[in-house]
Amino acid sequence: SGKKYKHCCQRLDEAEAAAHIATQLTSFRPQVSSNPSVPEYLQLAIEHHKTGHLPQAEAIYQRILQVAPDHPDALHFLGLIAAQVGKYEIAIELMSKALVFKPDYAEAHCNLGNAFRNHGRLEEAVASYHKALAIKPDFPEAYGNLGNAFKDQNKLGEAIASYRNALALKPNFAEMHCILGHALNEQGMLKEAVASY
């Protein structure tokens, strides 16, 4: 059952990440640029990204960076594509660069944390999630990701607290109730786990 639990959590993590990416891209508004074509290109890239056409989105993000090499959104979303295809070192490099140009970019800090976590760099992941939350305290996905990093470090108490913080902000976050249930079950808190499920 241990293997089943891990596999289930991985699937939930992926579903949660995919949903979060879709949310970010849907709610994204391009920044104003001196080059009027950049926001239009960015919106087109985001449409490709949302629909899973990653090569097309990647090509447009690259084109934007040829025109505006310090464009934080193009760097961040290009890094997000790299993370989606498992190129975590490239993702870390691109997202870190985006944060040089836009240090208060909470979503980039959160996704950088995900890249660190998937690359096995858990302390750096935790630090990135904390930075995201310092900028945007009402960021339930960042709390959820922080909880996952704590769980990977076998810090179940801290993981449970983070999951509960996520749910305090987003009570209808069904996947998070399930992930919290797993953590509570692992702690032997069976009644609380059942309630969470």
Side-chain angles (χ1 to χ4, degrees):
S1 69
K3 283 184 181 176
K4 264 189 186 174
Y5 157 69
K6 186 173 180 185
H7 184 60
C8 179
C9 276
Q10 284 173 341
R11 283 207 312 264
L12 285 169
D13 287 351
E14 288 161 12
E16 175 193 335
H20 181 47
I21 289 164
T23 300
Q24 282 181 28
L25 295 172
T26 301
S27 62
F28 179 77
R29 294 289 177 272
Q31 65 180 33
V32 176
S33 169
S34 57
N35 183 339
S37 66
V38 168
E40 294 167 9
Y41 273 123
L42 190 60
Q43 196 57 52
L44 179 60
I46 288 166
E47 290 303 317
H48 283 302
H49 201 158
K50 279 194 296 187
T51 54
H53 299 127
L54 300 187
Q56 293 91 331
E58 183 176 8
I60 300 170
Y61 294 140
Q62 292 280 14
R63 176 72 184 121
I64 290 167
L65 291 173
Q66 287 173 0
V67 176
D70 59 350
H71 198 291
D73 301 310
L75 287 163
H76 172 221
F77 290 133
L78 194 58
L80 196 55
I81 288 178
Q84 284 176 263
V85 298
K87 297 179 180 177
Y88 299 118
E89 287 183 14
I90 294 170
I92 289 165
E93 181 184 340
L94 288 164
M95 291 181 197
S96 297
K97 194 172 179 183
L99 288 163
V100 169
F101 299 116
K102 191 175 177 182
D104 62 346
Y105 200 162
E107 290 79 9
H109 281 292
C110 189
N111 284 321
L112 176 59
N114 292 340
F116 278 133
R117 179 178 169 239
N118 285 315
H119 202 42
R121 295 163 63 176
L122 297 178
E123 291 295 337
E124 289 160 292
V126 168
S128 289
Y129 298 137
H130 279 304
K131 285 176 186 172
L133 289 164
I135 296 160
K136 188 176 176 181
D138 59 343
F139 195 169
E141 290 82 4
Y143 274 116
N145 290 330
L146 177 61
N148 289 337
F150 281 139
K151 184 170 65 65
D152 290 347
Q153 293 177 315
N154 295 315
K155 296 178 179 178
L156 281 177
E158 288 95 328
I160 288 167
S162 292
Y163 296 146
R164 285 179 167 152
N165 283 334
L167 288 166
L169 292 166
K170 190 175 176 181
N172 63 344
F173 199 162
E175 294 89 345
M176 194 58 57
H177 283 290
C178 189
I179 292 168
L180 173 60
H182 290 327
L184 291 166
N185 184 46
E186 204 166 304
Q187 282 282 75
M189 301 166 71
L190 301 184
K191 285 184 180 178
E192 291 93 335
V194 167
S196 201
Y197 293 139

